[in-house]
Amino acid sequence: MKFLKKNKEFDKNPLLKKLILFLVFTLLLFLGLDVLLHHHQIGLTLATATDTILGNEEEFLDPILFDSLLERVHADILSAMIVLMLLATILIRLSSQSKQRLVHLSFLTAIFTQVALLLAPSIPLFIVLWITLFLLWHFIAFVMGLRIIWELLR
């Protein structure tokens, strides 16, 4: 990604700028759809997430199976790391200011989101932590994407 440095070559190549903008728009779309997917499958409110993860005897809902939870975490870790790696690489190359805290915070919240989801069936307090961290890392990644768009369009 050496070619992403803000220099005369990059400014002379409008196709590269459009490709990066399209990539970032696609990643932002993925982030939004990922939130909707998790809201539909697990739930992003405390009541729905608790019912999905722990089950609910009154409504005859079985708790989520541990192998299903492991598959979910496996897919989430892969997608989170790919999205964050692409956004972080582009942001670091485009911006002259250091974005270390933003990048580190995004990766840490994404990783701890998965840890909280794995611990949620045994300790219900982690359901709240999972919802909070999940929404936080998506928000941070969205901010990173918007900063990239801002750098490319100014």
Side-chain angles (χ1 to χ4, degrees), residues 1 3-4 15-31 82-83 85-87 89-90 145 148-149 152:
M1 291 251 181
F3 58 85
L4 287 181
L15 180 60
L16 181 61
K17 188 181 280 190
K18 288 177 186 174
L19 285 172
I20 293 171
L21 277 171
F22 181 72
L23 174 66
V24 173
F25 281 129
T26 306
L27 292 174
L28 292 179
L29 178 66
F30 171 80
L31 288 169
I82 289 172
V83 167
M85 186 62 70
L86 287 170
L87 288 173
T89 303
I90 295 170
I148 291 168
I149 292 170
L152 286 173

Side-chain angles (χ1 to χ4, degrees), residues 83-131:
V83 167
L84 289 176
M85 186 62 70
L86 287 170
L87 288 173
T89 303
I90 295 170
L91 182 66
I92 289 169
R93 291 290 182 173
L94 285 180
S95 181
S96 59
Q97 302 170 355
S98 177
K99 304 290 187 273
Q100 286 183 354
R101 289 191 180 131
L102 189 65
V103 171
H104 290 162
L105 184 63
S106 65
F107 276 96
L108 288 174
T109 54
I111 291 170
F112 287 131
T113 298
Q114 307 314 318
V115 172
L117 184 57
L118 281 177
L119 294 174
S122 55
I123 305 169
L125 179 65
F126 280 100
I127 295 173
V128 176
L129 185 64
W130 171 75
I131 293 169

